[in-house]
Amino acid sequence: MEILWFLIALCMLTAVIGPFVLRRRSGIRQVAPGSPDAADPDTYGFVRQEELDIRLPGPDQDLLDVLEVVQRTQDWRAASQLLAGTPKAGEVRWQRVQAFAGAASVELQQQPGVGGAWLRAWRLDSPKDAGGAQVHAEFLVQQAWRSSTAGTDDFRIILEEARTVCGEAALLSPGDPVPYIAELAVGRGLGYSHEQFDQVWAKVIDRAPEHMGAHLAALHYWCEKWHGSREEADHFATTAAARAPQGSLLAALPLFAVYEHLPEVNLVQSFYRSQVVTKAMEGALFAVHAARPDDPMLAHVRHLLVLFLVRSERWAEAMNQVVHVDGHIGALPWTLSGDPAADYTVYRNLAVAGYEANGGSPATLPH
């Protein structure tokens, strides 16, 4: 038994110090922030850690301008007008609904009983406003995950209310996939059966068959940690990628499936260079290359690629993604951290260190 415990402890120690040993062998040395040898963001034109925007995955100035007005004046009408002018089936509408709901949820967390008053006023003053109903439904979903523990009575009560509001929002805006995308998260939390979940999913794809945000929401349900398995999640992702038309970012979905099933402790140095991971990364890189430059989901894929490319020590490719996303970091994998800006900055610094250790410099980096 003593030998078994010794071996377990040795494996854990290897998992902790392995990456640092690897970096030293590669000529990469991490230093403390503020050290004279630390990477200077200004050298590459990067945004400093304290100025990184954690609200959005990429720029949406119209949204930020409206959000500033709403939070400053507590008047919901600008948000209503913005959503009314945002196409139903596109990714932008879903992202804006999430952003407004998230802003209200954070306000309420910071000022219990007071924060987010503009959303309550929106629903009271204009109960037939489809945008307000959608934001309210998503707000309840975020509140359930933010303020309670999955499986508890409070959690279920909030999600039951969210399901009701999703139904109201769907009636107010026929043909809009957003209420059903919100219900995908409700179904995950309430433990919908596969048949129940498929019924909601059918309503989503009837309205927006190539919606990347919807596919990501559905993928969570099929993961091993929720109501599916590694095999089911992989099947869902690869099937969607195989059916994706030219230029669709759905080709990157298998990389998200790999991410959802990363081992908590990885003792194999070559894991991120394995065939499974490499194939998923290549699919995501192909999707990024083929996608429209203004695709609102492009930043989501690039952010996840930063993590995988750094861990697989593909430094130049990692730097290429950092150049495109730097400044806005409200996306996986950073949003799962208690300090998204700090986590992103660590990976950015590793990318810079690896790039420079292999002869790269600001002058050789394409923009």
Side-chain angles (χ1 to χ4, degrees), residues 60 62 79-98 100 130-131 134 173-179 181 207-208 211 292 294 296:
D60 184 345
D62 288 341
S80 176
Q81 291 171 2
L82 182 65
L83 289 181
T86 305
K88 289 181 180 180
E91 306 279 356
V92 174
R93 184 178 182 85
W94 173 233
Q95 290 193 16
R96 287 176 173 176
V97 166
Q98 287 184 301
F100 284 128
Q134 291 174 7
S173 184
D176 193 331
V178 168
I181 299 174
R207 291 159 174 79
H211 200 291
R292 302 189 328 270
D294 62 345

Short mmCIF file of all heavy atoms in Angstrom, two decimals, residues 60 62 79-98 100 130-131 134 173-179 181 207-208 211 292 294 296:
data_model
loop_
_atom_site.label_atom_id
_atom_site.label_comp_id
_atom_site.label_asym_id
_atom_site.label_seq_id
_atom_site.Cartn_x
_atom_site.Cartn_y
_atom_site.Cartn_z
N ASP A 60 -18.01 44.43 -30.39
CA ASP A 60 -19.38 44.75 -30.84
C ASP A 60 -19.67 46.12 -30.26
O ASP A 60 -20.29 46.25 -29.20
CB ASP A 60 -20.37 43.70 -30.34
CG ASP A 60 -21.80 43.95 -30.86
OD1 ASP A 60 -22.07 45.06 -31.36
OD2 ASP A 60 -22.64 43.04 -30.76
N ASP A 62 -21.60 48.58 -31.11
CA ASP A 62 -23.01 48.97 -30.94
C ASP A 62 -23.56 48.44 -29.62
O ASP A 62 -24.24 49.15 -28.88
CB ASP A 62 -23.86 48.45 -32.10
CG ASP A 62 -23.59 49.19 -33.40
OD1 ASP A 62 -23.04 50.31 -33.34
OD2 ASP A 62 -23.94 48.65 -34.47
N ALA A 79 -31.79 49.14 -25.33
CA ALA A 79 -31.55 47.70 -25.51
C ALA A 79 -32.65 47.09 -26.37
O ALA A 79 -32.38 46.27 -27.25
CB ALA A 79 -31.50 47.01 -24.15
N SER A 80 -33.88 47.48 -26.12
CA SER A 80 -35.00 46.98 -26.91
C SER A 80 -34.84 47.35 -28.38
O SER A 80 -35.06 46.52 -29.27
CB SER A 80 -36.31 47.54 -26.37
OG SER A 80 -37.40 47.16 -27.17
N GLN A 81 -34.44 48.58 -28.65
CA GLN A 81 -34.27 49.03 -30.03
C GLN A 81 -33.15 48.28 -30.73
O GLN A 81 -33.26 47.91 -31.91
CB GLN A 81 -34.00 50.54 -30.05
CG GLN A 81 -35.19 51.39 -29.64
CD GLN A 81 -34.83 52.86 -29.44
OE1 GLN A 81 -33.69 53.25 -29.66
NE2 GLN A 81 -35.80 53.66 -29.02
N LEU A 82 -32.05 48.02 -30.00
CA LEU A 82 -30.93 47.31 -30.61
C LEU A 82 -31.34 45.89 -30.99
O LEU A 82 -31.05 45.41 -32.09
CB LEU A 82 -29.74 47.27 -29.65
CG LEU A 82 -28.49 46.57 -30.19
CD1 LEU A 82 -27.92 47.34 -31.39
CD2 LEU A 82 -27.43 46.43 -29.11
N LEU A 83 -32.03 45.18 -30.09
CA LEU A 83 -32.45 43.82 -30.39
C LEU A 83 -33.50 43.78 -31.49
O LEU A 83 -33.51 42.86 -32.31
CB LEU A 83 -32.98 43.13 -29.12
CG LEU A 83 -31.94 42.78 -28.06
CD1 LEU A 83 -32.60 42.09 -26.88
CD2 LEU A 83 -30.85 41.89 -28.64
N ALA A 84 -34.37 44.78 -31.51
CA ALA A 84 -35.40 44.83 -32.57
C ALA A 84 -34.77 44.96 -33.94
O ALA A 84 -35.32 44.47 -34.95
CB ALA A 84 -36.36 45.98 -32.31
N GLY A 85 -33.61 45.58 -34.02
CA GLY A 85 -32.92 45.76 -35.29
C GLY A 85 -31.88 44.70 -35.59
O GLY A 85 -31.17 44.78 -36.59
N THR A 86 -31.79 43.67 -34.73
CA THR A 86 -30.83 42.58 -34.92
C THR A 86 -31.54 41.37 -35.51
O THR A 86 -32.53 40.92 -34.95
CB THR A 86 -30.18 42.19 -33.58
OG1 THR A 86 -29.61 43.35 -32.96
CG2 THR A 86 -29.08 41.16 -33.80
N PRO A 87 -31.08 40.84 -36.65
CA PRO A 87 -31.75 39.70 -37.29
C PRO A 87 -31.95 38.52 -36.35
O PRO A 87 -31.10 38.22 -35.51
CB PRO A 87 -30.80 39.34 -38.44
CG PRO A 87 -30.07 40.61 -38.74
CD PRO A 87 -29.90 41.29 -37.42
N LYS A 88 -33.08 37.84 -36.52
CA LYS A 88 -33.46 36.76 -35.62
C LYS A 88 -32.51 35.56 -35.66
O LYS A 88 -32.10 35.04 -34.63
CB LYS A 88 -34.87 36.27 -35.95
CG LYS A 88 -35.99 37.22 -35.59
CD LYS A 88 -37.33 36.60 -35.95
CE LYS A 88 -38.49 37.53 -35.59
NZ LYS A 88 -39.79 36.92 -35.95
N ALA A 89 -32.20 35.10 -36.85
CA ALA A 89 -31.53 33.80 -36.98
C ALA A 89 -30.01 33.86 -36.82
O ALA A 89 -29.37 32.83 -36.74
CB ALA A 89 -31.87 33.18 -38.34
N GLY A 90 -29.44 35.04 -36.75
CA GLY A 90 -27.99 35.14 -36.71
C GLY A 90 -27.40 34.92 -35.33
O GLY A 90 -28.10 34.93 -34.32
N GLU A 91 -26.09 34.75 -35.32
CA GLU A 91 -25.36 34.56 -34.07
C GLU A 91 -25.35 35.83 -33.22
O GLU A 91 -25.31 35.77 -31.99
CB GLU A 91 -23.91 34.16 -34.37
CG GLU A 91 -23.75 32.96 -35.28
CD GLU A 91 -23.91 31.64 -34.56
OE1 GLU A 91 -24.07 31.64 -33.33
OE2 GLU A 91 -23.86 30.61 -35.26
N VAL A 92 -25.39 37.00 -33.87
CA VAL A 92 -25.25 38.27 -33.15
C VAL A 92 -26.39 38.46 -32.16
O VAL A 92 -26.18 38.91 -31.03
CB VAL A 92 -25.18 39.45 -34.13
CG1 VAL A 92 -25.19 40.78 -33.38
CG2 VAL A 92 -23.93 39.35 -34.98
N ARG A 93 -27.61 38.11 -32.56
CA ARG A 93 -28.75 38.30 -31.66
C ARG A 93 -28.57 37.49 -30.38
O ARG A 93 -28.80 37.98 -29.28
CB ARG A 93 -30.06 37.93 -32.36
CG ARG A 93 -31.30 38.21 -31.49
CD ARG A 93 -32.58 37.89 -32.22
NE ARG A 93 -33.74 38.20 -31.41
CZ ARG A 93 -34.32 39.39 -31.33
NH1 ARG A 93 -33.82 40.40 -32.03
NH2 ARG A 93 -35.38 39.59 -30.56
N TRP A 94 -28.17 36.23 -30.53
CA TRP A 94 -27.96 35.39 -29.35
C TRP A 94 -26.86 35.95 -28.46
O TRP A 94 -27.00 35.98 -27.23
CB TRP A 94 -27.63 33.97 -29.80
CG TRP A 94 -27.24 33.01 -28.72
CD1 TRP A 94 -26.12 32.24 -28.68
CD2 TRP A 94 -27.98 32.70 -27.53
NE1 TRP A 94 -26.10 31.47 -27.54
CE2 TRP A 94 -27.23 31.74 -26.81
CE3 TRP A 94 -29.18 33.15 -26.99
CZ2 TRP A 94 -27.65 31.22 -25.60
CZ3 TRP A 94 -29.60 32.63 -25.77
CH2 TRP A 94 -28.84 31.67 -25.09
N GLN A 95 -25.79 36.42 -29.05
CA GLN A 95 -24.70 36.98 -28.25
C GLN A 95 -25.16 38.24 -27.51
O GLN A 95 -24.78 38.46 -26.35
CB GLN A 95 -23.50 37.28 -29.14
CG GLN A 95 -22.80 36.03 -29.66
CD GLN A 95 -21.45 36.32 -30.29
OE1 GLN A 95 -20.88 37.38 -30.09
NE2 GLN A 95 -20.92 35.37 -31.03
N ARG A 96 -25.96 39.06 -28.17
CA ARG A 96 -26.43 40.29 -27.52
C ARG A 96 -27.42 39.98 -26.40
O ARG A 96 -27.39 40.64 -25.34
CB ARG A 96 -27.04 41.22 -28.56
CG ARG A 96 -25.99 41.86 -29.46
CD ARG A 96 -26.57 42.71 -30.58
NE ARG A 96 -25.51 43.43 -31.29
CZ ARG A 96 -25.71 44.19 -32.36
NH1 ARG A 96 -26.94 44.31 -32.88
NH2 ARG A 96 -24.69 44.81 -32.93
N VAL A 97 -28.28 39.01 -26.61
CA VAL A 97 -29.19 38.60 -25.54
C VAL A 97 -28.39 38.11 -24.34
O VAL A 97 -28.68 38.47 -23.18
CB VAL A 97 -30.16 37.51 -26.05
CG1 VAL A 97 -30.87 36.82 -24.88
CG2 VAL A 97 -31.18 38.11 -27.00
N GLN A 98 -27.37 37.29 -24.59
CA GLN A 98 -26.53 36.80 -23.50
C GLN A 98 -25.83 37.95 -22.77
O GLN A 98 -25.72 37.95 -21.54
CB GLN A 98 -25.49 35.84 -24.04
CG GLN A 98 -26.01 34.48 -24.44
CD GLN A 98 -24.90 33.56 -24.87
OE1 GLN A 98 -24.16 33.85 -25.81
NE2 GLN A 98 -24.74 32.46 -24.18
N PHE A 100 -26.72 41.20 -22.53
CA PHE A 100 -27.65 41.99 -21.70
C PHE A 100 -28.04 41.22 -20.44
O PHE A 100 -28.08 41.78 -19.34
CB PHE A 100 -28.90 42.35 -22.51
CG PHE A 100 -28.70 43.46 -23.51
CD1 PHE A 100 -29.08 43.29 -24.83
CD2 PHE A 100 -28.14 44.67 -23.13
CE1 PHE A 100 -28.90 44.31 -25.77
CE2 PHE A 100 -27.95 45.69 -24.04
CZ PHE A 100 -28.32 45.51 -25.37
N ALA A 130 -40.53 41.08 -27.43
CA ALA A 130 -39.86 39.78 -27.59
C ALA A 130 -38.43 39.83 -27.08
O ALA A 130 -37.95 38.87 -26.44
CB ALA A 130 -39.88 39.37 -29.06
N GLY A 131 -37.72 40.92 -27.33
CA GLY A 131 -36.34 41.04 -26.87
C GLY A 131 -36.26 41.01 -25.35
O GLY A 131 -35.39 40.34 -24.78
N GLN A 134 -36.73 37.48 -24.10
CA GLN A 134 -35.55 36.65 -24.35
C GLN A 134 -34.44 36.95 -23.35
O GLN A 134 -33.79 36.04 -22.82
CB GLN A 134 -35.06 36.86 -25.78
CG GLN A 134 -36.01 36.30 -26.83
CD GLN A 134 -35.59 36.65 -28.24
OE1 GLN A 134 -34.51 37.20 -28.47
NE2 GLN A 134 -36.43 36.33 -29.21
N SER A 173 -42.15 35.78 -30.58
CA SER A 173 -41.27 35.93 -31.75
C SER A 173 -41.20 34.62 -32.53
O SER A 173 -40.19 33.92 -32.49
CB SER A 173 -39.88 36.37 -31.31
OG SER A 173 -39.04 36.61 -32.41
N PRO A 174 -42.26 34.27 -33.26
CA PRO A 174 -42.25 33.02 -34.04
C PRO A 174 -41.10 33.02 -35.05
O PRO A 174 -40.80 34.03 -35.66
CB PRO A 174 -43.61 33.06 -34.76
CG PRO A 174 -44.46 33.98 -33.95
CD PRO A 174 -43.53 35.01 -33.40
N GLY A 175 -40.46 31.89 -35.16
CA GLY A 175 -39.35 31.77 -36.10
C GLY A 175 -38.01 32.15 -35.52
O GLY A 175 -36.97 31.96 -36.17
N ASP A 176 -37.98 32.65 -34.31
CA ASP A 176 -36.73 33.05 -33.66
C ASP A 176 -36.17 31.87 -32.88
O ASP A 176 -36.85 31.31 -32.02
CB ASP A 176 -37.01 34.23 -32.72
CG ASP A 176 -35.74 34.92 -32.25
OD1 ASP A 176 -34.69 34.25 -32.16
OD2 ASP A 176 -35.79 36.13 -31.97
N PRO A 177 -34.92 31.46 -33.13
CA PRO A 177 -34.35 30.32 -32.41
C PRO A 177 -33.91 30.64 -30.99
O PRO A 177 -33.70 29.72 -30.18
CB PRO A 177 -33.14 29.94 -33.27
CG PRO A 177 -32.71 31.23 -33.89
CD PRO A 177 -33.98 31.99 -34.16
N VAL A 178 -33.75 31.92 -30.65
CA VAL A 178 -33.14 32.29 -29.37
C VAL A 178 -33.87 31.70 -28.16
O VAL A 178 -33.20 31.18 -27.24
CB VAL A 178 -33.01 33.82 -29.26
CG1 VAL A 178 -32.67 34.25 -27.83
CG2 VAL A 178 -31.93 34.33 -30.21
N PRO A 179 -35.22 31.76 -28.06
CA PRO A 179 -35.86 31.16 -26.88
C PRO A 179 -35.55 29.68 -26.71
O PRO A 179 -35.42 29.19 -25.58
CB PRO A 179 -37.35 31.40 -27.14
CG PRO A 179 -37.40 32.57 -28.07
CD PRO A 179 -36.20 32.41 -28.94
N ILE A 181 -32.80 28.15 -27.86
CA ILE A 181 -31.39 28.00 -27.49
C ILE A 181 -31.25 28.17 -25.98
O ILE A 181 -30.51 27.44 -25.32
CB ILE A 181 -30.51 29.01 -28.24
CG1 ILE A 181 -30.60 28.79 -29.75
CG2 ILE A 181 -29.05 28.87 -27.80
CD1 ILE A 181 -29.86 29.83 -30.58
N ARG A 207 -35.12 26.42 -37.31
CA ARG A 207 -35.05 27.87 -37.47
C ARG A 207 -33.66 28.37 -37.86
O ARG A 207 -33.53 29.38 -38.55
CB ARG A 207 -35.50 28.54 -36.16
CG ARG A 207 -36.99 28.36 -35.89
CD ARG A 207 -37.34 28.56 -34.40
NE ARG A 207 -38.79 28.51 -34.19
CZ ARG A 207 -39.49 27.38 -34.12
NH1 ARG A 207 -38.88 26.20 -34.26
NH2 ARG A 207 -40.79 27.41 -33.93
N ALA A 208 -32.63 27.68 -37.38
CA ALA A 208 -31.25 28.12 -37.65
C ALA A 208 -30.34 26.90 -37.67
O ALA A 208 -29.62 26.63 -36.70
CB ALA A 208 -30.79 29.12 -36.60
N HIS A 211 -26.47 27.35 -36.73
CA HIS A 211 -26.19 28.26 -35.61
C HIS A 211 -25.11 27.66 -34.71
O HIS A 211 -25.33 26.68 -34.01
CB HIS A 211 -27.47 28.49 -34.82
CG HIS A 211 -27.45 29.72 -33.97
ND1 HIS A 211 -26.66 29.85 -32.85
CD2 HIS A 211 -28.14 30.90 -34.08
CE1 HIS A 211 -26.87 31.03 -32.30
NE2 HIS A 211 -27.76 31.68 -33.03
N ARG A 292 -15.91 33.69 -42.82
CA ARG A 292 -15.95 35.12 -43.11
C ARG A 292 -15.22 35.88 -42.01
O ARG A 292 -15.37 35.55 -40.82
CB ARG A 292 -17.39 35.65 -43.15
CG ARG A 292 -18.29 34.99 -44.15
CD ARG A 292 -19.63 35.75 -44.24
NE ARG A 292 -20.03 36.37 -43.00
CZ ARG A 292 -20.77 35.79 -42.07
NH1 ARG A 292 -21.18 34.54 -42.22
NH2 ARG A 292 -21.12 36.45 -40.98
N ASP A 294 -15.91 38.56 -40.68
CA ASP A 294 -16.84 39.20 -39.76
C ASP A 294 -17.78 38.21 -39.08
O ASP A 294 -18.76 38.61 -38.46
CB ASP A 294 -17.66 40.27 -40.49
CG ASP A 294 -18.53 39.68 -41.60
OD1 ASP A 294 -18.28 38.52 -42.00
OD2 ASP A 294 -19.44 40.38 -42.08
N PRO A 296 -19.42 36.39 -36.35
CA PRO A 296 -19.38 36.73 -34.92
C PRO A 296 -18.91 35.60 -34.02
O PRO A 296 -18.58 35.84 -32.86
CB PRO A 296 -20.84 37.10 -34.61
CG PRO A 296 -21.63 36.46 -35.69
CD PRO A 296 -20.77 36.45 -36.91
#
